[in-house]
Amino acid sequence: MVRWLLSGDYPRGLALNLGIAAIVLALLFAPFLFPGTRALNTAATICIFIVLVASYDLLLGYTGIVSFAHTMFYGIGAYGVAILLQRYGASWGAVFAGLGFGLAVSVLLAFVIGLFSLRVKAIFFAMVTLAVASAFAILASQLSGLTGGEDGLTYRVPRMLTPAFRLMDEQLLGVTMNGRIIAYYLVFVVSAVAFLVMMRIVNSPFGRVLASIRENAFRAEALGVRTVVYRSLASCLAAGFATLAGALMALWLRYTGPDVTLSFTIMVDILLMVVIGGMGTMYGAIVGAAAFILAQNYLKDLMGHMAEATAGIPVLPDLLHPDRWLLWLGLLFILSVYFFPTGIVGRLRKSRQA
Amino acid sequence: MQGDAALATEGLTIRFGGHVAVNNVTCSFRPGTLTAIVGPNGAGKTTYFNLISGQLRASAGRVLLNGRDVTREGAAARTQAGIGRAFQLTNLFPELSVRENIRLAVQARHRRGLNLLSMAESHGDLIAEADGYLEAVSMAHRADATVALLPHGDQRKLEVGLLLALEPEVMMFDEPTAGMSVDEVPVILDLIARIRAEGKRTVLLVEHKMDVVRSLADRIVVLHNGYLVADGDPAEVIASPIVQEAYLGVGASQHV
């Protein structure tokens, strides 16, 4: 059963098993373990980013394709749901129609980009994705009638997912069972299923072919593999999962704007999460997303406490001032890339065998 | 002669700028035979191979597989059609295991690569087949090793194993024993001799060692500066003045 769920791809290594289990259990019981809006928001963001990062790793780590258009597909999913919810009111029909519409647009776009540019050099593909993604971001901010422009869209989600909805009157383990809890578990379950499906894909015959293309596309061709077909398909799949992540984010945030979906900052964040977690390992997405988003959300607080604790001592409180959090975040990344070039997961699981 | 050829090239030519690496080579290969292609370095042997297996596109001329023109097809399509190729410079999937390298070739032949939702490990038949080819190139004991960490000779054996796993109608070996240690060479030569004895495949072999060529080949084709300069029975070709001059050069006859 576990083997079937994980597609025979275990974390491997005691530290990794424990770490992954801890993160998954923390996310599973997040509403009860870490009550409060902010904590729940962080947990939901981690869930969604695990899907987003894993789908990017499908391209970067497994197939060896560098794309800068991943946030575009993420944005298409978010805007698809947002636009339909805003226009046609808070119904599940609008959510599914938005997701379906987003998926269709994303997969079509990914296919067209792939068809035109995956045959040629990798750098050319990367540049094309960058250009298309930039054009799309500008388009989204210009078509303000449809997308709300720079302000984005605020909309209502199905009532079942709102704080006003009560699942039961009593509290459970001290937590009010309102629609936000349902929304969180919707995000959690969909993310978990999407992650497990991606695990299956990378461990399938198809996934193995992707790995062979990453290793040596020339030789893969000589084995009779039409690499452009596989690359295009991988690109479409990754786009589809990113779209799903975007739709989940739109549902969770009840707001969609260029800064939370299409911005290049998010693209860089995704890249960092893949690299920190470990390229070419699905578990890397879990570790990378959890570590990065926790740091992003709580490093500031931690530094505030440390600055207070070191008050009196010269220089240190200034260095630890919460405003310097980006400096420390940057330092943490440099150190982690330097010491774990294969990512945290790559470091903890040594797979090469002589 | 063209009619019953498994593989044929007609006026095959490729130009790189002003340099003509393969020049108007017309040659056909009968099914079940082993043809050695010899010639000095830079004669165009590997380029000729690349033109046949599709890594390079011809500037002029045609490649025919069982009479069908495959000149416009890419490498993948030609492999699927039955032209298999082992490379002179080792060309493997370095970060994957030995078994996985072979398994990928078997999987490609069975065209199961587009299966997204089953576990690769559950296709036991492919793994079992792959293990058979590992035995054939005496690499079974290294099945789980990562290819990048293997000694050069083992990588060469794996290179041949990949070609076997494709079970192609036409097998092209490009200096299969280059860089192998003395005790590893017989493994591969015996294998090629067995393939020839079975008579089911059309084998093309680029090889420098003349004793190997003499014992294995049904026929020798000599390339020189991109031209086909001699073609025929091994003993005759080796003895012909043009080969003595063009390929073996002065003072090399004792090597023969």
Side-chain angles (χ1 to χ4, degrees), chain A residues 65-116:
Chain A
I65 296 174
V66 180
S67 161
F68 292 111
H70 214 59
T71 44
M72 175 177 79
F73 300 120
Y74 179 61
I76 289 173
Y79 273 104
V81 169
I83 291 169
L84 285 181
L85 278 176
Q86 208 211 18
R87 300 236 152 167
Y88 302 104
S91 72
W92 285 106
V95 173
F96 286 114
L99 174 63
F101 190 65
L103 280 174
V105 172
S106 284
V107 170
L108 192 72
L109 252 176
F111 182 74
V112 171
I113 297 175
L115 209 63
F116 279 105

Side-chain angles (χ1 to χ4, degrees), chain B residues 1-255:
Chain B
M1 173 134 183
Q2 294 272 330
D4 61 354
L7 178 76
T9 65
E10 290 177 354
L12 203 59
T13 302
I14 187 165
R15 293 180 203 96
F16 297 110
H19 176 63
V20 187
V22 170
N23 205 337
N24 198 26
V25 174
T26 298
C27 193
S28 60
F29 306 91
R30 285 157 49 87
T33 61
L34 191 150
T35 308
I37 296 169
V38 301
N41 285 327
K45 304 181 299 286
T46 297
T47 309
Y48 184 56
F49 264 27
N50 283 336
L51 288 170
I52 292 173
S53 54
Q55 274 75 33
L56 288 173
R57 299 299 174 92
S59 310
R62 302 199 298 164
V63 177
L64 303 167
L65 180 67
N66 292 316
R68 189 171 70 86
D69 189 346
V70 296
T71 321
R72 296 190 165 279
E73 290 178 8
R78 291 193 206 184
T79 304
Q80 287 183 0
I83 302 178
R85 168 84 190 271
F87 293 86
Q88 179 186 13
L89 301 172
T90 302
N91 206 329
L92 302 163
F93 305 111
E95 291 300 321
L96 307 181
S97 75
V98 169
R99 178 185 286 120
E100 178 64 6
N101 268 258
I102 300 274
R103 204 198 61 81
L104 281 162
V106 176
Q107 177 181 294
R109 169 161 53 85
H110 286 283
R111 313 230 179 141
R112 262 189 239 169
L114 286 173
N115 191 326
L116 281 95
L117 293 176
S118 66
M119 280 182 248
E121 292 301 323
S122 67
H123 294 253
D125 52 334
L126 300 185
I127 299 169
E129 253 191 76
D131 284 342
Y133 297 110
L134 285 180
E135 290 283 350
V137 291
S138 67
M139 283 292 290
H141 61 296
R142 307 304 300 271
D144 296 316
T146 302
V147 167
L149 304 176
L150 287 181
H152 184 72
D154 282 349
Q155 296 194 2
R156 297 296 304 156
K157 285 195 268 180
L158 187 57
E159 178 74 42
V160 172
L162 280 188
L163 175 58
L164 296 184
L166 291 173
E167 296 282 353
E169 189 186 338
V170 174
M171 285 188 161
M172 306 169 72
F173 295 93
D174 197 349
E175 297 195 36
T177 62
M180 275 190 183
S181 67
V182 185
D183 49 324
E184 284 167 327
V185 170
V187 175
I188 297 305
L189 293 184
D190 290 350
L191 197 75
I192 296 175
R194 243 190 346 263
I195 293 167
R196 179 195 171 205
E198 281 173 19
K200 285 190 292 193
R201 324 242 178 230
T202 308
V203 183
L204 275 63
L205 170 71
V206 167
E207 181 58 74
H208 274 303
K209 300 183 189 83
M210 271 311 184
D211 47 340
V212 170
V213 169
R214 208 201 297 263
S215 67
L216 280 178
D218 297 305
R219 167 186 170 211
I220 295 184
V221 168
V222 184
L223 291 182
H224 184 54
N225 289 334
Y227 290 96
L228 191 159
V229 294
D231 178 355
D233 179 73
E236 277 173 37
V237 170
I238 290 173
S240 69
I242 189 164
V243 171
Q244 291 291 327
E245 186 190 342
Y247 175 47
L248 300 168
V250 182
S253 48
Q254 70 269 29
H255 183 71

Side-chain angles (χ1 to χ4, degrees), chain A residues 96-177:
Chain A
F96 286 114
L99 174 63
F101 190 65
L103 280 174
V105 172
S106 284
V107 170
L108 192 72
L109 252 176
F111 182 74
V112 171
I113 297 175
L115 209 63
F116 279 105
S117 49
L118 277 176
R119 299 176 170 277
V120 292
K121 284 214 169 74
I123 184 74
F124 186 71
F125 178 78
M127 291 301 111
V128 168
T129 58
L130 190 59
V132 173
S134 307
F136 191 86
I138 292 168
L139 202 67
S141 71
Q142 294 297 310
L143 292 173
S144 48
L146 190 65
T147 62
E150 290 295 328
D151 295 333
L153 296 169
T154 324
Y155 41 86
R156 286 148 54 96
V157 294
R159 192 180 138 69
M160 210 182 149
L161 305 178
T162 58
F165 181 84
R166 284 278 183 281
L167 190 60
M168 52 173 106
D169 288 330
E170 314 87 69
Q171 291 191 329
L172 185 68
L173 302 169
V175 178
T176 314
M177 300 308 286

Side-chain angles (χ1 to χ4, degrees), chain A residues 45 64 75 101 108 131 150 166 168 190 263 267 271 334 342:
Chain A
T45 309
F101 190 65
L108 192 72
E150 290 295 328
R166 284 278 183 281
M168 52 173 106
V190 174
S263 96
M267 190 63 244
L271 250 168
I334 294 171
T342 51

